[in-house]
Amino acid sequence: MISREEVRHVARLARLHLTDDEAERMREQLDAILAYIDKLRELDVEGVEPTAHAVPLVNVMRDDALAPCLPQEQALANAPDRADEFFRVPRIIED
Amino acid sequence: MVATVEPTGLTMHELTARYRRGEIAPTEATEAYFARIAERDPQVAAYLTLTREQALAAARAADARYRAGAPRGPLDGVPIAYKDVLCTEGIVTTCGSKILERFVPPYDATVVARLGAAGAVMLGKTNMDEFAMGSSTEHSAFRPTRNPWDLERVPGGSSGGSAAAVGAELAAAALGTDTGGSVRQPAAFCGVVGLKPTYGRISRYGLIAFASSLDHIGPLTRDVRDCALLLHAIAGVDPHDSTSVDEPVPDYPAMLEGGVRGLTLGVPREYFGSGLDPEVEAAVRAAIARLADLGAAIEEVSLPNTDYGLAVYYIVAPAEASSNLARYDGVKYGLRAPGGKDLIDMESRTRAAGFGAEVKRRIMLGTYALSAGYYDAYYGRAQKVRTLVRRDFEAAFARVDLLVAPTTPTAAFKHGDKADPLAMYLNDVFTVGGDLAGLPAMSVRCGFTAAGLPIGLQLMARPFDEARLLRAAHAYEQSTDWLARRPTLA
Amino acid sequence: MSTTTYETVIGLEVHAQLATVSKMFCGCPTTFGAGPNTQTCPVCLGMPGTLPVINRRAIELAVRTALAFECRVNPSCRFARKHYYYPDMPKNFQISQYEEPLAEDGGLEIDLPGGASRRIGIQRLHLEEDVGKLVHEGTLETAHASLVDYNRSGMPLMETVSRPDLRSPEEAATYLRAFRAVLVHLGVCDGNMEEGSLRCDANVSLRPRGARELGTKVEIKNLNSFRNVQRALEFEVERQARALDAGERIVQETRLWDADRGYTRPMRSKESAHDYRYFPEPDLVPLVLDPAFVAERRAELPELPRARRERFVDAYRLPAYDAAILTQSKALADYYEAAVRESGNTKAVSNWIMSELLREIGSDDERAITTCPVTPAHLGQLVKLIDDGTISGKIAKGVFEGMLRSGDAPGAIVAREGLTQVADTGALERVIDEVLAGNPKPLDDWKKGKTAAAQALFGLVMKATAGKANPAIVKRLLEAKLPKI
Ligand SMILES: [Mg+2]
Ligand SMILES: [Zn+2]
């Protein structure tokens, strides 16, 4: 069972602002989903290799060659806030 | 010259045949589509964005090529639609989310670039569940899309806009994406052909990521031939996608004939258990009988971990999503919520305001599954069970050439019917396996319910065996007249 | 001082920017100093739908380095996502390596005072992408807003973590110098600390002498010059010692070195959540480095600083001291060997480099050495001119100044300014006669037996020849002439 505190902690990690009601509803829904997912515990996966990719590939690399950059204006075109040629963010207070 | 039939009623290959005979020009077909969209899309709501200017410019260029007797190929001048999860240079790409409502990519997805080079004409961007998370397109941040066969019902999802656009004849064909069934399930609900090829068969570059190891791009078309044409145009390795596979691309359209004689089709026991709607089961069983009549050998097989597959999916997909969606923070692009008193406050408010409930749920679930102390119990274990799911399919394909099964447990459900998240998730039980194992799988129309809703037959094949998959689907399609029935949009 | 009752335990974490043309996962350039946000693309801006592709060159350079540090190159490695929110990181995760790094378990031999040396263990070496640059309006504390430049986002970084084998701030600085010298010799990193090509963090803890278990460690960030590494660590060691003496407990924390104010202060770390939620990067596939690939990298390995230093002692008969300085950087060692090829006088060239050249240029300032107006060939020629008596050592110093200013060959300067020594005895006899005639005073003194007067006369003759006279010959002639007067 996932606790209210865990929901708060995870919301902080995920940078999601939740009201108390939202947090509680979220807790209930996550509980239901996790309860369903817990069926995975029935299985014995001792010594089973995990699958990260369905298609096994290795050593995909590119040559060390230049490709065109975005023009500065295009790089900044979608910025919600900017100061001249920089992206601008509100003051940083470490958490 | 005047077209004898409404161009919007034609498949791609029928339309281009008329282009080549000079009976109709790409601009005329394009105009016809925009006219039909203006008339019908207010009901269906398949499109989020229309790109009329670009479309007509592309169509005029195609006109000239046909006039000069030098079309670029079988897709030149074909009006198609893209799910709004695919980036289009200079055209807003929202992913069905408020957080990207005003995002204009400075690049094209590889598939969009390839179809553009093939002469295809983009009509617009189609509606979807936000970040492709959903099975009904009710989770679009903008509006729900309606099923062309019954406007009270959902078109399926997350590629509901693309499936509805093709089903309602608002596009000759469309591209969608499939992470847990998001091409095949809406294809089944809207009665169109939907293919999810092998993982790595089509480049994901420019596909806005939901779950990187599960995301697949796939065609939604009127018939199997169109599906083969579209797949042939977009398949192949891409230097911008390290997970795309350098496998030769067969000439799929040329390999459609030959039928199913000599093929062994496996029927997975677990796909016919409780929860399968009797009407759907009857239609699928009938389709399997038809394939037997056509000369295929039928054999029952077992995929014992089918139910676990869904649980695996609901760990792996949210975990990868929680990571892929971390970048939407109001700093570089997209929405920034006002009034943030500092950076963290701004980011938290932006994500709270920009994401819908389902997306938040999955971000929370995925973050939790990856967080300290839970990784092994959830993500780690899920990736191991994923191996067991893959082995089920390997064992089955050691005995049979293809699998045949229902695409979905039921036909299209009503809007609001699946309010409970888990109930919605269970809708994917027959489709997630193909995504977890990265196998090619498709859905074709195999009948209708008494209420007149289309039913989907799912076929699955070995990795990179799309040619055989399409051949069997084509043989079945040719042996029925299901395609004769068209939605009335009444 | 109280620190004597504690043993200092230090481990260094060095981030080196690899000398590639393009970034780690995209084709943007790695050049330094471009205008803000002019060297970015959808990939390194973390735009939706974009995907990384590994730069093969970065892998090659990292493997070469791993071999130089005698690390075990893992047969298979993979990239992982490291998650934390910070606006200099476009995706809010960093593509790094976690459980399967590129290489592990190596070491680097460093010199200790008094000629001894010790191997410092290297725990792991892995690759990752750099983040962008934040500019704060004011300081981080007072800023109303911060500005982001993503040019540096996605630069290829090689992180090398040492074992806690360093026992003093001096050793830490020595390790970093030796480490840098190896990277530069390998050509995998330009080693430029001012431009951030080489960055260093340290883990410091104290424990009572003789104790086995480690004390609580403190991480210190922002140690971006050799001097700062030593200063910061000295400060921190002292700070912890005082705290322990006062019976306080050391808090495990990250502290920032403030070079201007000369102290470390707690930094509420951007990683304070410390739940990175690592998982394998699904957009990249594993690397399986086959033996042939690794063998090719081994074949690329040049002579390393230590081996070269020993060769300098054996082959050039140099004192260990000279050899150590001359091999502090590849550029300087190359310079020395080129100059020796020209002149053949191994010790003289070494002296000139250490006394004159290094007065102008730092021994590890590759750029300055390679672009120095005095080419190694010219320095060799200068030494030759002295050895064959064309100019005196004193004159040579002046010629060297000229070479620095003009970049001309010493021969040209000597000719232009007519600095060739006068060795012609006839000419010199005439000069001596004039000096004796024109200076009766010192001559009288000499006659009165004041031998020191000979020295004065010698000086006057040299003066008369503007120092060009061959001093040995002048001495001989004077000693021959005076008794006859
Ligand atoms: Mg690091
Ligand atoms: Zn870039």
Side-chain angles (χ1 to χ4, degrees):
Chain A
M1 293 294 105
I2 180 166
S3 73
R4 189 67 167 276
E5 292 60 43
E6 284 179 304
V7 169
R8 285 260 165 244
H9 170 66
V10 172
R12 227 181 347 267
L13 283 178
R15 291 282 199 272
L16 277 176
H17 180 281
L18 297 179
T19 65
D20 290 352
D21 298 1
E22 288 170 328
E24 180 49 29
R25 210 173 319 117
M26 184 68 77
R27 197 192 60 73
E28 289 159 8
Q29 288 165 336
L30 292 184
D31 253 347
I33 298 163
L34 289 169
Y36 173 77
I37 285 165
D38 275 340
K39 67 160 57 194
L40 290 180
R41 298 180 193 276
E42 300 163 5
L43 290 167
D44 175 18
V45 291
E46 197 49 43
V48 178
E49 273 302 301
T51 293
H53 282 104
V55 179
L57 284 173
V58 296
N59 298 346
V60 179
M61 294 180 261
R62 47 173 268 270
D63 295 337
D64 182 24
L66 292 179
C69 296
L70 284 175
Q72 189 186 49
E73 263 317 303
Q74 268 195 45
L76 289 151
N78 281 288
D81 184 20
R82 58 183 280 191
D84 324 321
E85 58 247 314
F86 292 93
F87 294 83
R88 191 165 186 276
V89 299
R91 71 200 183 105
I92 300 169
I93 296 174
E94 315 279 355
D95 60 345
Chain B
M1 277 159 261
V2 183
T4 50
V5 193
E6 256 300 288
T8 55
L10 302 171
T11 62
M12 297 196 312
H13 57 88
E14 290 164 345
L15 183 60
T16 50
R18 282 166 171 71
Y19 285 166
R20 282 191 298 276
R21 294 201 297 270
E23 295 169 13
I24 181 174
T27 44
E28 295 172 273
T30 304
E31 290 286 13
Y33 270 108
F34 280 114
R36 184 175 169 87
I37 288 166
E39 183 188 327
R40 305 295 179 86
D41 202 46
Q43 295 166 274
V44 179
Y47 284 94
L48 288 175
T49 308
L50 293 173
T51 51
R52 187 185 179 85
E53 272 59 45
Q54 296 91 330
L56 289 172
R60 276 190 295 274
D63 285 0
R65 290 192 292 269
Y66 278 101
R67 258 187 267 104
R72 283 183 181 167
L75 297 181
D76 204 358
V78 173
I80 61 173
Y82 296 119
K83 184 180 184 180
D84 210 21
V85 71
L86 298 171
C87 288
T88 44
E89 181 174 357
I91 295 159
V92 66
T93 301
T94 69
C95 214
S97 180
K98 289 266 176 232
I99 213 159
L100 285 177
E101 192 166 5
R102 280 185 284 304
F103 174 63
V104 179
Y107 49 94
D108 271 332
T110 296
V111 288
V112 171
R114 286 185 180 180
L115 289 180
V121 172
M122 169 173 39
L123 296 171
K125 310 292 294 289
T126 58
N127 197 14
M128 58 185 285
D129 288 295
E130 183 178 7
F131 282 98
M133 297 176 187
S135 310
S136 68
T137 316
E138 294 169 293
H139 294 309
S140 163
F142 303 107
R143 65 184 76 88
T145 296
R146 304 186 167 280
N147 190 311
W149 297 89
D150 177 352
L151 299 174
E152 299 299 298
R153 295 174 182 270
V154 303
S158 62
S159 308
S162 285
V166 175
E169 299 175 3
L170 304 177
L175 290 186
T177 58
D178 191 313
T179 303
S182 288
V183 161
R184 291 160 288 159
Q185 184 255 17
F189 280 15
C190 294
V192 301
V193 175
L195 166 67
K196 176 208 85 71
T198 312
Y199 187 85
R201 175 79 292 184
I202 298 174
S203 168
R204 291 184 295 116
Y205 188 83
L207 152 62
I208 298 180
F210 161 14
S212 310
S213 77
L214 296 166
D215 292 341
H216 303 71
I217 293 171
L220 290 133
T221 58
R222 309 273 180 97
D223 69 4
V224 175
R225 181 170 297 280
D226 279 2
C227 183
L229 285 164
L230 216 42
L231 175 63
H232 186 250
I234 59 179
V237 70
D238 174 9
H240 297 296
D241 178 0
S242 308
T243 64
S244 67
V245 182
D246 193 0
E247 272 273 327
V249 178
D251 185 352
Y252 300 115
M255 299 164 80
L256 286 173
E257 306 307 330
V260 294
R261 188 164 302 284
L263 293 184
T264 307
L265 311 187
V267 180
R269 192 180 304 127
E270 294 76 9
Y271 283 51
F272 291 83
S274 61
L276 178 61
D277 176 273
E279 278 189 299
V280 172
E281 172 160 16
V284 171
R285 296 257 184 221
I288 293 169
R290 169 62 57 89
L291 284 160
D293 297 344
L294 294 172
I298 310 297
E299 198 178 306
E300 190 179 70
V301 297
S302 174
L303 302 170
N305 293 296
T306 298
D307 283 353
Y308 297 110
L310 196 64
V312 169
Y313 176 79
Y314 278 96
I315 286 295
V316 174
E320 293 183 6
S322 71
S323 172
N324 287 324
L325 273 61
R327 71 193 63 196
Y328 307 107
D329 57 2
V331 174
K332 305 153 294 276
Y333 41 72
L335 178 78
R336 174 182 294 190
K341 59 186 192 314
D342 59 60
L343 178 74
I344 294 175
D345 190 44
M346 180 281 282
E347 290 171 334
S348 308
R349 289 174 186 284
T350 295
R351 292 166 63 79
F355 291 137
E358 182 60 27
V359 173
K360 288 179 193 171
R361 229 169 356 249
R362 301 215 196 178
I363 289 175
M364 290 289 291
L365 182 57
T367 304
Y368 179 74
L370 289 174
S371 64
Y374 294 102
Y375 181 93
D376 294 336
Y378 289 109
Y379 190 80
R381 172 166 281 262
Q383 291 289 55
K384 288 179 177 178
V385 178
R386 185 177 180 179
T387 303
L388 301 181
V389 172
R390 247 181 58 224
R391 288 182 189 161
D392 283 358
F393 283 104
E394 283 164 12
F397 282 118
R399 293 172 47 204
V400 302
D401 301 302
L402 298 169
L403 294 176
V404 284
T407 307
T408 58
T410 68
F413 49 87
K414 285 204 161 68
H415 285 272
D417 261 15
K418 299 264 197 285
D420 163 39
L422 202 50
M424 183 74 82
Y425 296 175
L426 291 170
N427 212 260
D428 300 333
V429 64
F430 300 153
T431 45
V432 293
D435 294 295
L436 291 170
L439 303 170
M442 68 190 294
S443 181
V444 293
R445 195 188 289 187
C446 72
F448 290 86
T449 64
L453 299 171
I455 297 168
L457 171 73
Q458 182 174 208
L459 297 102
M460 297 188 236
R462 301 184 185 99
F464 297 101
D465 202 7
E466 283 83 1
R468 187 175 284 147
L469 185 70
L470 289 160
R471 194 176 97 206
H474 179 69
Y476 172 75
E477 186 181 73
Q478 294 302 301
S479 75
T480 72
D481 55 7
W482 298 125
L483 292 189
R485 217 192 281 197
R486 292 164 63 180
T488 55
L489 287 180
Chain C
M1 193 201 51
S2 54
T3 49
T4 52
T5 60
Y6 302 108
E7 180 181 41
T8 304
V9 178
I10 299 171
L12 290 190
E13 209 179 285
V14 184
H15 287 85
Q17 188 190 314
L18 292 170
T20 58
V21 174
S22 65
K23 291 183 178 181
M24 185 69 221
F25 299 115
C26 67
C28 290
T30 53
T31 45
F32 178 82
N37 297 300
T38 56
Q39 294 188 343
T40 67
C41 72
V43 175
C44 56
L45 284 174
M47 282 190 171
T50 60
L51 299 169
V53 185
I54 297 167
N55 182 335
R56 182 185 294 98
R57 184 70 180 154
I59 303 298
E60 290 170 355
L61 297 180
V63 170
R64 190 194 294 174
T65 311
L67 294 172
F69 289 134
E70 297 161 335
C71 292
R72 182 184 75 251
V73 176
N74 289 328
S76 142
C77 72
R78 68 164 72 232
F79 286 87
R81 293 182 179 181
K82 177 183 185 179
H83 300 86
Y84 58 88
Y85 278 79
Y86 215 67
D88 60 7
M89 193 165 60
K91 302 183 293 295
N92 284 320
F93 62 77
Q94 177 192 36
I95 303 179
S96 182
Q97 295 191 290
Y98 184 50
E99 276 173 339
E100 299 162 79
L102 184 125
E104 292 171 276
D105 298 330
L108 171 60
E109 198 79 12
I110 65 163
D111 298 309
L112 305 173
S117 77
R118 191 165 83 244
R119 180 184 169 88
I120 304 304
I122 288 175
Q123 187 195 328
R124 60 184 274 142
L125 180 152
H126 75 248
L127 281 164
E128 59 189 28
E129 59 181 340
D130 204 348
V131 298
K133 203 157 124 289
L134 274 176
V135 186
H136 303 294
E137 293 179 343
T139 72
L140 180 54
E141 288 72 20
T142 65
H144 301 297
S146 298
L147 308 179
V148 199
D149 169 8
Y150 289 111
N151 284 352
R152 213 178 60 189
S153 164
M155 296 277 201
L157 287 186
M158 179 177 64
E159 178 176 328
T160 314
V161 183
S162 90
R163 296 199 179 280
D165 294 347
L166 298 159
R167 290 291 169 267
S168 72
E170 299 72 21
E171 280 185 21
T174 307
Y175 168 83
L176 191 57
R177 274 208 181 73
F179 187 92
R180 180 188 179 283
V182 171
L183 295 198
V184 175
H185 265 75
L186 293 171
V188 301
C189 173
D190 68 19
N192 187 321
M193 296 186 90
E194 296 68 46
E195 293 177 5
S197 304
L198 198 67
R199 284 168 262 159
C200 178
D201 304 331
N203 288 306
V204 197
S205 65
L206 299 190
R207 62 181 168 193
R209 292 212 172 275
R212 245 224 226 81
E213 69 286 358
L214 293 168
T216 311
K217 75 173 181 194
V218 169
E219 185 180 14
I220 307 177
K221 292 194 168 291
N222 197 29
L223 307 178
N224 297 334
S225 76
F226 298 118
R227 193 158 156 280
N228 278 318
V229 168
Q230 188 155 342
R231 284 176 64 214
L233 289 173
E234 278 162 357
F235 174 92
E236 183 59 19
V237 167
E238 181 61 30
R239 186 190 69 85
Q240 291 187 25
R242 287 188 198 288
L244 291 170
D245 288 345
E248 297 163 23
R249 286 178 58 259
I250 303 296
V251 227
Q252 174 148 9
E253 62 181 345
T254 302
R255 298 177 70 90
L256 197 68
W257 167 246
D258 184 327
D260 307 332
R261 302 202 186 80
Y263 64 65
T264 67
R265 59 183 153 80
M267 151 179 164
R268 266 157 313 160
S269 168
K270 64 185 173 186
E271 300 154 22
S272 61
H274 273 305
D275 191 343
Y276 294 139
R277 288 157 287 139
Y278 283 100
F279 76 96
E281 168 56 271
D283 289 330
L284 295 172
V285 301
L287 295 176
V288 178
L289 303 176
D290 62 279
F293 177 89
V294 177
E296 283 168 38
R297 306 287 82 76
R298 197 178 292 282
E300 292 168 357
L301 287 180
E303 182 183 35
L304 295 177
R306 247 192 133 65
R308 197 169 193 181
R309 190 177 81 190
E310 281 150 22
R311 181 166 58 82
F312 276 21
V313 172
D314 303 344
Y316 300 133
R317 301 264 162 271
L318 289 179
Y321 175 80
D322 294 34
I325 289 178
L326 292 174
T327 52
Q328 257 170 23
S329 75
K330 183 173 192 303
L332 188 60
D334 292 346
Y335 187 105
Y336 171 77
E337 295 206 85
V340 166
R341 269 193 296 282
E342 186 75 22
S343 79
N345 188 334
T346 61
K347 181 58 179 147
V349 170
S350 170
N351 293 344
W352 273 91
I353 288 176
M354 294 199 293
S355 61
E356 301 304 316
L357 190 73
L358 294 186
R359 183 186 304 139
E360 309 293 331
I361 299 170
S363 61
D364 49 22
D365 187 345
E366 271 78 14
R367 238 173 258 177
I369 292 165
T370 45
T371 61
C372 176
V374 180
T375 66
H378 287 174
L379 185 68
Q381 291 160 16
L382 183 65
V383 170
K384 263 234 229 47
L385 289 174
I386 304 163
D387 290 351
D388 65 18
T390 311
I391 57 175
S392 69
K394 186 162 173 304
I395 290 289
K397 292 217 188 323
V399 174
F400 183 83
E401 300 304 324
M403 291 160 71
L404 262 179
R405 262 182 272 101
S406 63
D408 295 343
I413 296 173
V414 167
R416 195 194 310 135
E417 301 178 15
L419 301 172
T420 315
Q421 284 189 49
V422 181
D424 165 350
T425 45
L428 286 176
E429 294 229 25
R430 255 174 273 117
V431 178
I432 291 171
D433 292 340
E434 285 160 21
V435 169
L436 294 177
N439 299 280
K441 176 86 176 53
L443 188 56
D444 290 348
D445 293 351
W446 189 83
K447 287 178 178 156
K448 294 199 187 93
K450 292 189 180 161
T451 48
Q455 199 47 42
L457 288 163
F458 172 80
L460 288 164
V461 174
M462 289 309 286
K463 190 151 170 290
T465 62
K468 287 186 271 172
N470 183 321
I473 300 175
V474 173
K475 233 182 195 55
R476 208 184 62 234
L477 292 176
L478 264 178
E479 282 161 2
K481 194 174 282 287
L482 284 171
K484 304 203 194 92
I485 300 174

